[in-house]
Amino acid sequence: MVLCPQGDRAQTYCELESVLWGDDSCLQCGVVNRLLAEVSWDLTAGQGVTEDTKVAASDVLVALACSHFSFVLAELLAQLNAPGQISKEFVLITVGKLLSTNALQCIPFMRVVLLGLRTVLGQLGSGRILRAACGALEQWAKAVNVYICTWKGCSLPATQKEQLYESLSQVLCSVASTLLDCQEEEDKQAVIGAMTPLMRVLLHKEEHREHVWEQLLWLLHHYRTVQDTSRVTKSLLSFLEALEQAQIPVPKGKCLAISSVVYSKLTADSTEHSQEQKAELSQCILLQARICPEETILFLESQLGHKREAVRVAALGLLGALARCDEPAIAEKLPQVVEAVKRVCRDPSIRVRRALLHFIRELLSANAQSCSAWDVVGYIFSEFSQSSSRRAAGLLSAQEAQEEGGLQGLCMDVLGSLDISVRGMAKLLWPRLLIYVMPAKYTGMLIPLSRCLRALAESNELTAGHEHHELDPDVLNACLQETTLTPHNLLARLLVVAGSPFAGSKLQAAALLLMQSLHSRIHAAVGAMWNSEIPLLLQYLQGGKGNIPDAAEWERRLLQFLRASLETIGDDAWIKRLSCALSQWLDSSPSSSGEKAFLYKALGTTLGACQELPHVQENLLQHLTRAQPEEPSEAQGIISLVCQAADSHFGLVLETLTAFAATSCSGRGLRVSRRRKTTQASRRAEATCSAVMLAHSSMALRASKEQLLAHVEADIAGNILLLSISSSQNLQTNLAVAQSILEVGCAIQAVGNLGSFHPVLKHKLLLILQNLMKTTLWDFPAASLHLKVILALEQWSKLEISFSSKEICSLLSDCCRAILPLPSAAEQLGKIRNAEQAVLQLQSLHMATKALGRLMAVLLKTKPSPVHFVDIAEVLWFWLSSDKPWVCKRALQVCAQLLEDCRDGVAFQTRGAYLPFGALAGLLGPLTCEPTSSSRQLAAACLSSVLHIQAKATNRLLQTDDPASLCEGLSARSDASQQLQTSIQIAEMVCKNIPKEQAADFMNAIQEPFRRARGSRVSAAGNWMLTFLATRGKDIGPDVRGILSTLHTCAESMREPSFMSFVHHAVLILARHHERLTMNVILEQFVPMDRNTLELWRTLGRDSIGLSVLKRLARKLRRVGDDSSQPSSSSGRLHAQQPSAESLTVTRAISEMVSVQSKEGVQSLLPSLLPGLLLQLSKALGEEMLFAPLSPWRGHAEDQRQEGNVCRPFCETLLSVLTKCAEKSWLTPFWRQKMSALLESPRTYAEGMCLLTR
C-alpha cells in the first residue's frame, strides 16, 4: 500500500472499510498492528497525503474499532501523546468519530482519553487542529453524559468518579480560556460547541454547579462576540433541557439573567433572525418557564409595558404559548397572565392587536375558565368592529387597509376555532354570543358566530328551558335586560342578512342555519316547518355544479318562506310585533344599503300576512309619508312595500295609495313646486308623484284578473293619467309616466284583452306617449325615455287598438325623428362627462332602435297587409338614405328588427309576389358597402330576412344561399376589395329573386344613391344595378323604357361623374337584350349630345352589338331623310332647310360609333351608311343632283360664307366613314380639308362628289 498512488490508496481504504464493516471476525494481531501502522502513517503525515486519503484512513480506523476497539483507541492515544511535529488533526477527528459511535465502550477509558485531549488542548492556539480537538472533546463529553445517565449500572469506583468530575472542571476552565484567545469565527463556534456538553456533565455534581452557572453566563456573553449566534442558542437550549431533565433548582436571579439576554436577542431590531432561530430562542424562554414559572411569567408580564412594539408582541406570543402549556404550575398563573394582558387591549399598534388576538385564541383553546375576569369574546367583536370602522372611514393607506382587513379575518378565525367541548366554554359563550347577532356592524362575524351557536344548541347547552345556575349572573342579567334581543328582532336581523344581495351565499347560509338552530327562541310553532324548508333554501343557495343562484329568484323564495312561516305562526299580535321590528330596522338602515330594499319587501310581506287592517293601513301610510322618494332606492322600496302588501289586501292598499296621492301629489302642491323648482319640497313632490304612478302600475302587474277588471280603468289607469297631467315635465317624471303606462299595458295583456277598457282613456294614454316622444329634447340623455315610450307603444299596440294608416305613419315618423337623428356615439360620449352614464345612454339608444322595429312589426300584425307594410317601410326610406353613417346604422337596426319579426311571425296576405321586395332590395343593397362593418352586416341581415319573407309570401323554398352566411366577408377583418366582392355575391343571390314586375321599383330605389350619395355607396349601387340587369335584363321588357328614363335621370343628377361608366354599362346590358327599344329611347331622351352621351354611343360601338346598332342607325337616318323629302323644283333644286334634330342626333351617333369600329366592320356597312349621309347632306344643301359639272375652286369660300355650316356634321360623319374605309394616303389633313370644303358648298358639291368617287 505504501507504493500505491494517492488516488489508489483512497480507493483501497474505501474498499477495506467496506470489508471491515461487513466482517465481524477478529484479525490476527500482526495484521492489525501492520494495518494500524499503515493507516496511522497516512493519518499523521504532514505532506504528500491528500485530504481524501486521510478521510478514508480515518473511516478505516472507525470500522476496525468495531472488532478491535482497544487496539485502535491505544493507537490513537499514542498518536495524541506522541512528541514531534506530526499532524494530529485527523487523529482528533477519528477520536471524535470513535467516541460518537462507541460511547459505552469508551467508558473504561474516559480518564485516559480526557488526559490525552487535555494535553492537546494545552498545546494548541487556534486553527483546524483546535476545531478538531473541540469536536473530539464535544463527543467525549456526550459519551460521558450517556455514562452518567446509566450511572447505577456502572462499576466505576467513587474515587474515580470524583477524579473524573475534577478533571472535567479543569478541562472546562481550559476550554473557556481557549475561547478568550480565539479570533476566528470558526474557532469560537467550535469551542462553544465543546463547552455545553461539559457543563451538562458537571451539572450532576452539586459542588461544581456554581462554576457551571458562571461559565453559562459567561457563555451567553458571547452573543455579542460571535457573528452566528445560533450555536450559542443551541448550546443554551441543550443546557436548559438538561436542567429540566435533571430537575435541578436554578439559583435566584439566574433565570432572570438568562431571560433578559435571550429576550433581548429575540426582540433585537438590528438582527435578522430566521424562523428556526426565532423558534429556538422562544423555546429557551418556554423551557425556563417550565423550570421557573413564576420568575419567567413575571418577566414576560413586565415586557408588556415596554415602549418597543416588538418587545410587546414577543411577550404576547410567548404568553400565548404558555397558555396552552399543560404544566399545572403555569396553569395556576393564567388568571394572573390574563389580568396583565388585559392592560394592553387598548394598544393602537396593528402588530400588538394581532398578537393579542393570537393570545386569546391560544388561551381559549386551552382554558376558557381563565377568562372569567375579562370578556375576551367581547374584545374579539370589538376589535372586528374597530377594524371595520377604520376601513370604512377611507383614511387608511393601501397597506394599512390591508392590515386592518387581516385583523378582521383573524377575528373570524379566532371565533371560528373555538371548541365548545373545552371546560367552561359554554358558560363563557352563552348567552354572550347572542348579543353579537343583533348589531349590523358584526355582520361579517356571523359565519363563525353561527357555527358556535349551532354547536352549543346541538350539545344541548342551549334550550328554551335551560337553567342558568352555571352561567355568569352578571352576564346573564345584562343579556336579559337587552331589549333588542327579542324573538322578533332576532328573526328580523337574520332575515335581513339572508336577504341581503351583498352578503354572499356563505353568510346567507350561516343566517339560515342559525335561524334553524334558534327556532325555539323565535317561535315554538315553526320548528317542524323550518326543519323541512330551510334545507331546501340552502340547497338552492349552494347551487349545482357551476351554477350561480339567481338573486331575484333567491329573494322570491326567501319571501315565500317568510310568508309560509307567518301563516304557520298565525298569531296577529306576534306578526304585528315583527312588523314593528322590521320597521325599526328599516328606519335605522341607510338609504344606500342593499339590505333596505329587502327590508321593504319583508315588511310588505309581513303586513300582507297581518289581518288587523287598521294596523296595515297605518303602517303603510307611515312609511309612505316618511320615505324619501327622491332617492331611487327609496322610491323602489315604497313600490315593493305596496306591492307585497297588496298581494293579500289589494283593495285596502289601493285605497291607501289613492288617499296618499290625493294629499301628497295634488295639483296645488305641484304648482307650488313648479314656481320653486330648486327647492327640496319641489323635488320631493315630483319624486313622490313618480313613485305613486309606478306603484299603481306595479300593483296592476301583480293583480289577479278579477282585481284588474275591477280597478284598472278608474283606480289605476285613471290615477296614472291624473298624476301625469298634474306632474311637471322633467326626465324622471316622464320616465315614470312611460314606465307606468307600459306596465299597465303588460298587465292587461297578461290577463287577456279588456274589450271594455274605455276608448277615450286609451286614446289619452297613447296621446301622452306620443307627446312625450315629440317634445323630448336632445339637451339631456333622452334615449332611456324614448326606449320606455316605444316599449309602451309596442305593448299597447298588442291590445287590438285600431290605427289608421295615417296615424301609424305619423306615430312612426315621430319615433324615427326622436331616435334616429340623435348625435353619434362619439358626440354623446363627449357631451356626457360621466362615462358610466354615457354607456347607459348608448345602450338605451340601441335598445330603443330595436324596440322601434318590434313596434312596427306589432303594428303590422294588427292588419297584416302589404299596403300597410309599404306605408310603414316608407317611413324608413329617408333615414336609410342618410349621408350620416350613424343615422343610417340606426335605421338599419330598426329595419333589421322589423324584417326579423316579419320573417318569424307575420303572415302576409299577398297578391302574387311580395310587393315591396324590389324597392327594399334596391334600397338595402348599396348599404352592404357602408363604411362601418356593423352597418354592412345589418344590411346583409335585412336582405336575408327579405328573401325569406319573399319565399314565404310566394309559398316556395329559397332557391339561393342565405346572404347572412356571407356576413363574415363584410366584417372589419376583410379589406375593401373583399367587401365589394361579397356585396356583389349578395347582389347575385337577391337579384335572382326579384320579380320582373318590380324591376322599375328596384331601379327607382337604387337611383337614390346616384343622386344623393358619394363614394362607396354609389359604387355599390352601380354594382347592384349591373348585377340586376345582367340577371333579369331579358325578362323586363315592359319596364325598359322606364328603366332607361331612370338611368337618364341618374346621369343628369349624379354627384360623382366618375361613376358615369355604371350608367353606360347598364344601358349596354339593356341594349343587348332590347336593342331596338334601347336605341330609340337613347335617341329620344339622351339629348343633347354632351360628352356623356357621346361616350355612351362609343360604349355601344365597342361591344359586340356595335355593328347591329350602327346598321339600325343607318336605316334610321335613311328613314329620317325619306320622311322629310320634298318635291324638287323645275330647276332641279330642293328647297333648302335646316337639318332636323333627329337627323343630327343619329348622324352624331353614327360618327361616334364609327370612330371605335374596325375598318372591316365599317366597310361591311358602307352601302348602308353612304345613302343616308349623302341624302342628309343634299337636303342640307338644297341640291337634288348628286353629280354635277365641276365648279371652280375659287368660289368655295364665298359659298361657304353665304351658306354657313349646317351641313358640316353630315360632312364630318361622311368623311369619318370614308376615312375608316379608305387608304392611309387619303387621310392627309390637306385632302380632308379640301374634301370637306367642296362638299359643304352647293356650288362645289358636284366637284367634291367627283373627287370623292375617283
Side-chain angles (χ1 to χ4, degrees), residues 549-602:
D550 179 66
E553 175 62 17
W554 167 249
E555 189 176 79
R556 186 194 67 80
R557 288 173 180 248
L558 194 59
L559 292 173
Q560 187 178 4
F561 165 77
L562 173 60
R563 182 60 184 263
S565 300
L566 296 177
E567 290 175 355
T568 302
I569 292 172
D571 184 352
D572 280 343
W574 197 95
I575 295 174
K576 282 176 59 178
R577 288 194 291 272
L578 178 61
S579 67
C580 294
L582 289 171
S583 297
Q584 292 175 0
W585 276 101
L586 192 58
D587 294 338
S588 62
S589 299
S591 300
S592 58
S593 65
E595 65 184 27
K596 194 161 189 177
F598 179 77
L599 272 170
Y600 272 114
K601 296 177 183 178

Coordinates of all heavy atoms in Angstrom, one line a residue, residues 549-602:
P549 N -76.7 30.9 -8.0 CA -78.1 31.2 -7.7 C -78.5 32.6 -8.2 O -77.7 33.6 -8.1 CB -78.2 31.1 -6.2 CG -77.0 30.3 -5.8 CD -76.0 30.6 -6.8
D550 N -79.7 32.7 -8.8 CA -80.2 34.0 -9.3 C -80.7 34.8 -8.1 O -81.4 34.3 -7.2 CB -81.3 33.7 -10.2 CG -81.9 35.1 -10.7 OD1 -81.2 35.8 -11.4 OD2 -83.1 35.4 -10.4
A551 N -80.3 36.1 -8.0 CA -80.6 36.9 -6.8 C -82.1 37.1 -6.7 O -82.6 37.1 -5.6 CB -79.8 38.2 -6.9
A552 N -82.7 37.4 -7.8 CA -84.2 37.7 -7.8 C -84.9 36.4 -7.4 O -85.9 36.5 -6.6 CB -84.6 38.2 -9.2
E553 N -84.5 35.3 -7.9 CA -85.2 34.1 -7.5 C -85.0 33.7 -6.0 O -85.9 33.2 -5.4 CB -84.7 32.9 -8.4 CG -85.3 31.5 -8.1 CD -86.8 31.4 -8.2 OE1 -87.4 32.3 -8.8 OE2 -87.4 30.5 -7.6
W554 N -83.8 34.0 -5.6 CA -83.5 33.7 -4.1 C -84.4 34.6 -3.3 O -84.9 34.2 -2.3 CB -82.0 34.0 -3.9 CG -81.7 34.0 -2.4 CD1 -81.3 35.1 -1.7 CD2 -81.7 33.0 -1.5 NE1 -81.1 34.8 -0.4 CE2 -81.4 33.5 -0.2 CE3 -82.1 31.6 -1.6 CZ2 -81.3 32.7 0.9 CZ3 -82.0 30.8 -0.4 CH2 -81.6 31.4 0.8
E555 N -84.5 35.9 -3.6 CA -85.3 36.8 -2.9 C -86.8 36.3 -2.9 O -87.4 36.4 -1.8 CB -85.2 38.2 -3.5 CG -85.8 39.3 -2.6 CD -85.6 40.6 -3.2 OE1 -86.3 41.0 -4.2 OE2 -84.7 41.3 -2.7
R556 N -87.2 35.9 -4.0 CA -88.6 35.4 -4.1 C -88.8 34.2 -3.2 O -89.8 34.1 -2.4 CB -88.9 35.0 -5.5 CG -90.4 34.7 -5.8 CD -90.6 34.0 -7.1 NE -89.9 32.7 -7.2 CZ -90.4 31.6 -6.7 NH1 -91.6 31.6 -6.0 NH2 -89.8 30.4 -6.8
R557 N -87.9 33.3 -3.2 CA -88.0 32.1 -2.3 C -88.0 32.4 -0.8 O -88.7 31.9 0.0 CB -86.9 31.1 -2.6 CG -87.1 30.4 -4.0 CD -85.8 29.6 -4.3 NE -86.0 28.9 -5.6 CZ -86.1 27.6 -5.8 NH1 -86.1 26.8 -4.7 NH2 -86.2 27.0 -7.0
L558 N -87.1 33.4 -0.5 CA -87.0 33.8 0.9 C -88.3 34.5 1.4 O -88.7 34.2 2.5 CB -85.8 34.7 1.1 CG -85.3 34.9 2.5 CD1 -84.9 33.6 3.2 CD2 -84.1 35.8 2.5
L559 N -88.8 35.3 0.6 CA -90.1 36.0 0.9 C -91.2 35.0 1.0 O -92.1 35.1 1.9 CB -90.4 37.1 -0.1 CG -89.5 38.3 -0.1 CD1 -89.8 39.2 -1.2 CD2 -89.6 39.0 1.3
Q560 N -91.2 34.0 0.1 CA -92.2 32.9 0.2 C -92.1 32.1 1.5 O -93.1 31.7 2.1 CB -92.1 32.0 -1.0 CG -93.2 31.0 -1.1 CD -93.0 30.2 -2.4 OE1 -92.0 30.3 -3.1 NE2 -93.9 29.3 -2.7
F561 N -90.8 31.9 1.9 CA -90.5 31.2 3.2 C -91.1 32.0 4.3 O -91.6 31.5 5.3 CB -89.0 31.0 3.3 CG -88.6 30.6 4.7 CD1 -88.8 29.3 5.2 CD2 -87.9 31.5 5.5 CE1 -88.3 29.0 6.4 CE2 -87.5 31.2 6.7 CZ -87.7 29.9 7.2
L562 N -90.8 33.3 4.3 CA -91.3 34.2 5.4 C -92.9 34.2 5.4 O -93.4 34.1 6.5 CB -90.8 35.6 5.1 CG -91.4 36.7 6.1 CD1 -91.1 36.4 7.5 CD2 -90.9 38.1 5.7
R563 N -93.5 34.2 4.3 CA -95.0 34.2 4.3 C -95.5 32.9 4.8 O -96.4 32.9 5.6 CB -95.5 34.4 2.8 CG -97.0 34.5 2.7 CD -97.5 35.6 3.5 NE -99.0 35.7 3.5 CZ -99.7 36.5 2.7 NH1 -99.0 37.3 1.8 NH2 -101.0 36.5 2.7
A564 N -94.9 31.8 4.5 CA -95.3 30.5 5.0 C -95.1 30.4 6.5 O -95.9 29.8 7.2 CB -94.6 29.4 4.2
S565 N -94.0 31.0 7.0 CA -93.7 31.0 8.4 C -94.7 31.7 9.2 O -95.2 31.3 10.2 CB -92.3 31.5 8.7 OG -91.3 30.8 8.0
L566 N -95.1 32.9 8.6 CA -96.1 33.7 9.3 C -97.5 33.0 9.3 O -98.3 33.1 10.3 CB -96.2 35.1 8.7 CG -94.9 35.9 8.8 CD1 -95.1 37.2 8.0 CD2 -94.6 36.2 10.2
E567 N -97.8 32.4 8.2 CA -99.1 31.6 8.2 C -99.0 30.5 9.2 O -100.1 30.1 9.8 CB -99.3 31.1 6.8 CG -99.6 32.2 5.7 CD -99.7 31.6 4.3 OE1 -99.5 30.4 4.2 OE2 -100.1 32.4 3.4
T568 N -97.9 29.9 9.4 CA -97.7 28.8 10.4 C -97.9 29.3 11.8 O -98.5 28.7 12.6 CB -96.4 28.1 10.2 OG1 -96.2 27.6 8.9 CG2 -96.2 27.0 11.2
I569 N -97.3 30.5 12.0 CA -97.5 31.1 13.4 C -98.9 31.5 13.6 O -99.5 31.2 14.7 CB -96.5 32.3 13.5 CG1 -95.1 31.9 13.5 CG2 -96.8 33.1 14.7 CD1 -94.0 33.0 13.4
G570 N -99.5 32.2 12.7 CA -100.9 32.5 12.8 C -101.3 33.4 13.9 O -102.5 33.3 14.4
D571 N -100.4 34.2 14.5 CA -100.7 35.0 15.7 C -100.5 36.4 15.2 O -99.4 36.9 15.0 CB -99.7 34.6 16.8 CG -100.0 35.4 18.1 OD1 -100.8 36.3 18.0 OD2 -99.3 35.1 19.1
D572 N -101.7 37.2 15.1 CA -101.6 38.6 14.6 C -100.8 39.5 15.6 O -100.1 40.4 15.1 CB -103.0 39.1 14.5 CG -103.7 38.7 13.2 OD1 -102.9 38.2 12.3 OD2 -104.9 38.8 13.1
A573 N -100.9 39.2 16.9 CA -100.2 40.0 17.8 C -98.6 39.8 17.6 O -97.9 40.8 17.6 CB -100.5 39.7 19.2
W574 N -98.2 38.6 17.4 CA -96.8 38.3 17.1 C -96.4 38.9 15.8 O -95.3 39.5 15.7 CB -96.6 36.8 17.1 CG -95.2 36.4 17.3 CD1 -94.6 36.0 18.5 CD2 -94.2 36.3 16.3 NE1 -93.3 35.7 18.2 CE2 -93.0 35.8 16.9 CE3 -94.2 36.5 14.9 CZ2 -91.8 35.6 16.2 CZ3 -93.0 36.3 14.2 CH2 -91.9 35.9 14.8
I575 N -97.2 38.8 14.8 CA -96.9 39.3 13.5 C -96.8 40.9 13.5 O -96.0 41.5 12.9 CB -98.0 38.9 12.4 CG1 -97.9 37.4 12.3 CG2 -97.8 39.6 11.1 CD1 -99.0 36.8 11.4
K576 N -97.7 41.5 14.3 CA -97.6 43.0 14.5 C -96.3 43.4 15.1 O -95.6 44.3 14.6 CB -98.8 43.4 15.3 CG -100.1 43.5 14.6 CD -101.2 43.9 15.6 CE -100.9 45.3 16.3 NZ -102.0 45.7 17.2
R577 N -95.8 42.6 16.1 CA -94.6 43.0 16.7 C -93.4 42.7 15.7 O -92.4 43.5 15.7 CB -94.4 42.1 18.0 CG -95.3 42.5 19.1 CD -94.8 41.9 20.4 NE -95.0 40.5 20.5 CZ -96.1 39.9 20.9 NH1 -97.2 40.7 21.3 NH2 -96.3 38.6 20.9
L578 N -93.5 41.7 14.9 CA -92.5 41.5 13.9 C -92.5 42.7 12.9 O -91.4 43.1 12.5 CB -92.7 40.2 13.1 CG -91.7 39.9 12.0 CD1 -90.3 39.8 12.5 CD2 -92.1 38.6 11.2
S579 N -93.7 43.1 12.5 CA -93.7 44.3 11.6 C -93.1 45.5 12.2 O -92.4 46.3 11.5 CB -95.1 44.6 11.1 OG -95.9 45.0 12.2
C580 N -93.3 45.7 13.5 CA -92.7 46.8 14.2 C -91.2 46.7 14.2 O -90.4 47.6 14.0 CB -93.2 46.9 15.6 SG -95.0 47.4 15.7
A581 N -90.7 45.4 14.5 CA -89.2 45.2 14.4 C -88.7 45.5 13.1 O -87.6 46.1 12.9 CB -88.9 43.8 14.9
L582 N -89.3 45.0 12.0 CA -88.8 45.3 10.6 C -88.9 46.8 10.3 O -88.0 47.3 9.7 CB -89.7 44.5 9.6 CG -89.5 43.0 9.6 CD1 -90.6 42.4 8.7 CD2 -88.1 42.7 9.1
S583 N -89.9 47.5 10.9 CA -90.0 49.0 10.7 C -88.8 49.7 11.3 O -88.2 50.6 10.8 CB -91.3 49.5 11.2 OG -92.4 49.0 10.5
Q584 N -88.4 49.2 12.5 CA -87.3 49.8 13.2 C -86.0 49.6 12.4 O -85.2 50.4 12.3 CB -87.2 49.2 14.6 CG -88.3 49.6 15.5 CD -88.2 49.0 16.9 OE1 -87.3 48.1 17.2 NE2 -89.2 49.3 17.8
W585 N -85.8 48.3 11.9 CA -84.6 48.0 11.1 C -84.6 48.9 9.9 O -83.6 49.4 9.4 CB -84.6 46.6 10.7 CG -84.0 45.7 11.8 CD1 -84.7 44.9 12.6 CD2 -82.6 45.5 12.0 NE1 -83.8 44.2 13.5 CE2 -82.5 44.6 13.1 CE3 -81.5 46.0 11.4 CZ2 -81.3 44.2 13.6 CZ3 -80.2 45.6 11.9 CH2 -80.2 44.7 13.0
L586 N -85.8 49.1 9.3 CA -85.9 49.9 8.1 C -85.6 51.4 8.3 O -84.9 52.0 7.6 CB -87.4 49.8 7.5 CG -87.7 50.3 6.1 CD1 -86.8 49.6 5.1 CD2 -89.1 50.1 5.8
D587 N -86.0 51.9 9.5 CA -85.7 53.3 9.8 C -84.3 53.5 10.1 O -83.7 54.6 9.8 CB -86.6 53.7 11.0 CG -88.1 53.8 10.6 OD1 -88.4 53.9 9.4 OD2 -88.9 53.7 11.6
S588 N -83.6 52.5 10.6 CA -82.2 52.7 11.0 C -81.2 52.3 9.9 O -80.0 52.6 10.0 CB -81.9 51.8 12.2 OG -82.1 50.4 11.9
S589 N -81.7 51.7 8.8 CA -80.8 51.4 7.7 C -80.6 52.6 6.8 O -81.6 53.3 6.5 CB -81.4 50.2 6.9 OG -81.6 49.1 7.7
P590 N -79.4 52.8 6.4 CA -79.1 53.9 5.4 C -79.7 53.6 4.1 O -79.9 52.5 3.7 CB -77.6 54.0 5.4 CG -77.1 52.6 5.8 CD -78.2 52.1 6.8
S591 N -80.1 54.7 3.3 CA -80.8 54.5 2.1 C -79.9 53.8 1.1 O -80.4 53.1 0.2 CB -81.1 55.9 1.5 OG -82.0 56.6 2.4
S592 N -78.6 53.9 1.2 CA -77.7 53.4 0.2 C -77.4 51.9 0.4 O -76.8 51.2 -0.4 CB -76.4 54.1 0.2 OG -75.8 54.1 1.4
S593 N -77.9 51.4 1.6 CA -77.5 50.0 1.9 C -78.4 49.0 1.1 O -79.6 49.3 0.8 CB -77.8 49.7 3.4 OG -79.1 49.8 3.7
G594 N -77.8 47.9 0.7 CA -78.5 46.9 -0.1 C -79.6 46.2 0.7 O -80.6 45.7 0.1
E595 N -79.5 46.2 2.0 CA -80.4 45.4 2.8 C -81.8 46.1 2.9 O -82.8 45.5 3.2 CB -79.9 45.2 4.2 CG -79.7 46.4 5.0 CD -79.0 46.1 6.3 OE1 -78.3 45.1 6.5 OE2 -79.2 47.0 7.3
K596 N -81.8 47.5 2.6 CA -83.0 48.2 2.8 C -84.1 47.8 1.8 O -85.3 47.8 2.1 CB -82.8 49.7 2.7 CG -83.9 50.5 3.2 CD -83.5 51.9 3.6 CE -84.6 52.7 4.3 NZ -84.2 54.0 4.7
A597 N -83.6 47.5 0.6 CA -84.6 47.0 -0.5 C -85.3 45.8 0.0 O -86.5 45.6 -0.2 CB -83.9 46.8 -1.8
F598 N -84.6 44.8 0.6 CA -85.2 43.6 1.0 C -86.1 43.9 2.2 O -87.1 43.2 2.4 CB -84.1 42.6 1.4 CG -84.7 41.3 1.9 CD1 -85.3 40.4 1.1 CD2 -84.7 41.0 3.3 CE1 -85.8 39.2 1.5 CE2 -85.2 39.8 3.8 CZ -85.8 38.9 2.9
L599 N -85.7 44.8 3.1 CA -86.5 45.1 4.3 C -87.9 45.6 3.9 O -88.9 45.3 4.5 CB -85.8 46.1 5.1 CG -84.8 45.6 6.2 CD1 -84.0 46.7 6.8 CD2 -85.5 44.8 7.2
Y600 N -87.9 46.5 2.8 CA -89.2 46.9 2.3 C -90.1 45.7 1.9 O -91.3 45.7 2.2 CB -89.1 47.9 1.2 CG -88.9 49.3 1.6 CD1 -87.7 50.0 1.3 CD2 -89.9 50.0 2.2 CE1 -87.5 51.3 1.7 CE2 -89.8 51.4 2.5 CZ -88.6 52.0 2.3 OH -88.4 53.3 2.6
K601 N -89.5 44.8 1.2 CA -90.3 43.6 0.7 C -90.7 42.8 1.9 O -91.8 42.2 1.9 CB -89.5 42.9 -0.3 CG -89.2 43.7 -1.5 CD -88.3 42.9 -2.5 CE -88.0 43.7 -3.7 NZ -87.1 43.0 -4.7
A602 N -89.8 42.6 2.8 CA -90.1 41.7 4.0 C -91.2 42.4 4.8 O -92.1 41.7 5.3 CB -88.9 41.5 4.8

